[in-house]
Amino acid sequence: MNVPRLHPDTIEAVKERADIYDVVSEHVVLKKQGKDFVGFCPFHDDKRNPSFSVSPSKQFYYCFSCGAGGNAIKFLMEIGKRNFSEVVLDLAKKYQVPVKTLDVEQRQELQRQLSVREQLYEILALTAKFYEYALRQPTGQTALNYLIQQRQLSEETIQQFQLGYAPGGWETLYGYLVEQKKYPVALVEQAGLLVPRKEGGGFYDRFRDRLMIPILDLQGRVIGFGGRSLGDEQPKYLNSPETELFDKGKTLYGLDKARAAIAKTDQAIVVEGYFDVIALHAAGITSAVASLGTALGSHQVRQLLRYTESKRVVFNFDADRAGVQATERAIGEVANLAYQGDVQLRILNIPDGKDPDEFLKHHATADYERLLDNAPLWIDWQIQQAIHPRNLQQPDQMQAATEELVKLLGNLPNPTLRTYYIQKCSELLGQGNTRLVRQIEENLRLQVKGQRWHGRSAKWQTPGDRSLLEEAESQLLQLYLHAPQHRSTIVEVLEERDLEFSQSHHRFLWRQILEIQAANPTASEFVAPDAPDLLTLLRDRCTEFPTEMTQVYRLFELDEKTTTDIQRAELVIRTAAAAMERVMCEKRRRHFLDLWKNTDFVTSPDLGQYYQQKVYAEDQRIRELDRQRQVNFSDLVLSPWVGE
């Protein structure tokens, strides 16, 4: 179905109900600062100082660096590159706002969709009750004994988590829901409870002879199930498929029960399995949640961070090889948040490779809490993973450990923290040899410096670079101002190549453009016939910023060259972007070449080789960019040309 034309009443109702903090905090980690919240801007490279502000009182967000701003609807439009009606419709579903459209047929279809969702909730709730009932029947005795004897769960815990049993017949649930309760078979299948037969038609129960664990959303509604086999049947754990209500990548098991405790203890614990969560809650540690058989994602971590003021999250995965790999994958998913300090991430590995469920069978709650208190920061854990398994007496193993540490430390934005960990790693690598520790520290410091440098410093820029940038940036800005149809392409190219306007007057103009677009969320590209004119709005700002506007006012005029550039816009965008990136590559090359020249090859041959490789890589990229900047006969044939 096409996106409907929404009634103004629905749009206004969504604007009133959609909370800016609620919407933005699903994508950005926010910290309280006075009456407002601050975080790192998701719309530009904002890694040093949080410049993104969210005001609940004004229901508005604004970035003081790049100028992005607007309400909750504008934020979702920008972050997901979606249109206005799609975002409003999703928010209406989230906040249960009645949807009215200007088209009668579309209105009926939307009402039907909302009715289907309510029926799915009803079917899943009834199924959970069915499984709970089956657990207490003779056929469920094996499952009940497993919970009480092997898992050592109390009756209270079994009821709290609504644990149940799926009987072993092929059509037991089918008979109950479809034949007895008269639910349409298509709806029961849509709920993820039935599977169509490959041959002969009909359906069979997805879950058979399994211990059943309901998965609930934050409103306490059943949205799916996890089923554990009681015998040798594989897989051991079987989850509901993705449905209208259930998205594994965005769901955390136990969060409905844990969020109050997370806020109270100011800490969230993430474990691997259902029974780890259940065992921790039964032991009184009720801030535990689990991912659902998939790698923990940044979206799930941001969900947790909404409930903890200090942003403390503890990963407690198994200490075996699979658990370590799961921990490393999870850290990778939230690496940006961790490096920026948006999450105080700690790693808990229980001794002897035990999981929380197994550990609590033989230890008191206080023993687990002590392990929590002593859990190391993620970076300390990562450092140990880089060093511990290697024999540092072997040159190749020492080099491998060093390279891994350089990548890790090079991403730390805080200089004080970087210095601390460089010293710590040097001591671990040097193994008590004072002279060696000093040498390793010097090498580490230089390599980390090289790893961190991205080419934006003006130190290595030449007059020729400035001239090239002036021309290339002017071309892109003039195209943006005078050719609305190419604006989205320009933005995409800048993002793909990680380019920024480096000339101060160009940065100023770009900031004004972004601010104007933020104030007009329904016409962000100013392409529609009824959209406000971007150039007119910019000229209006000349009285506010007369000095700054004088430097860029010439770009507002549509001269003969710009008219020509518009005719061959794709070619101009390609060559201008390549020129901007080339300047960055040249600066990086000069930087690494200087480090290479100042390296002592006798004491640090590996370091010299590292810088040499960096110089070579930049040379290769510069040659490729030069090819992109060349305009050949084919380009001219394919590009329209305005003659004299």
Side-chain angles (χ1 to χ4, degrees), residues 42-95:
F43 302 115
H44 78 284
D45 188 13
D46 186 16
K47 294 182 178 178
R48 294 186 179 178
N49 298 307
S51 57
F52 188 80
S53 174
V54 173
S55 172
S57 61
K58 298 177 182 176
Q59 286 296 301
F60 195 81
Y61 71 90
Y62 185 75
C63 176
F64 291 94
S65 179
C66 73
N71 59 14
I73 295 173
K74 174 68 185 310
F75 179 84
L76 291 176
M77 287 173 63
E78 292 296 318
I79 202 79
K81 305 298 182 188
R82 303 166 69 203
N83 68 41
F84 181 79
S85 295
E86 285 179 330
V87 169
V88 172
L89 190 57
D90 277 355
L91 288 173
K93 291 178 181 178
K94 177 176 180 178
Y95 291 101

Side-chain angles (χ1 to χ4, degrees), residues 283-299:
I285 302 170
T286 55
S287 57
V289 299
S291 57
L292 296 167
T294 58
L296 188 75
S298 58
H299 183 280

Side-chain angles (χ1 to χ4, degrees), residues 15-33:
K15 286 181 178 178
E16 289 178 7
R17 293 286 298 279
D19 179 70
I20 190 71
Y21 173 81
D22 190 35
V23 168
V24 174
S25 63
E26 289 188 0
H27 303 270
V28 179
V29 177
L30 298 173
K31 296 179 181 178
K32 196 87 167 68
Q33 189 175 88

Side-chain angles (χ1 to χ4, degrees), residues 550-615:
T550 300
Q551 295 178 284
V552 295
Y553 196 80
R554 64 179 179 80
L555 300 178
F556 296 0
E557 302 304 321
L558 183 59
D559 55 24
E560 186 177 345
K561 182 178 182 304
T562 305
T563 303
T564 301
D565 285 347
I566 292 172
Q567 298 299 317
R568 46 177 185 166
E570 291 186 7
L571 179 61
V572 172
I573 293 170
R574 187 194 81 192
T575 56
M580 291 169 66
E581 187 180 348
R582 190 189 195 285
V583 171
M584 288 181 61
C585 288
E586 279 284 7
K587 289 195 291 182
R588 280 197 297 263
R589 183 186 182 282
R590 295 177 195 126
H591 167 72
F592 287 122
L593 186 61
D594 183 72
L595 291 172
W596 177 77
K597 288 178 179 177
N598 290 291
T599 299
D600 187 337
F601 281 79
V602 176
T603 59
S604 308
D606 293 337
L607 191 58
Q609 186 179 16
Y610 170 80
Y611 292 139
Q612 193 173 35
Q613 289 170 348
K614 288 289 187 181
V615 171

Side-chain angles (χ1 to χ4, degrees), residues 334-366:
V334 296
N336 287 338
L337 300 179
Y339 279 123
Q340 292 172 353
D342 276 345
V343 53
Q344 187 195 143
L345 182 60
R346 294 180 178 271
I347 310 298
L348 169 57
N349 286 147
I350 297 175
D352 302 323
K354 292 183 172 65
D355 57 36
D357 179 33
E358 186 181 2
F359 181 82
L360 287 167
K361 284 183 173 65
H362 307 285
H363 295 81
T365 300

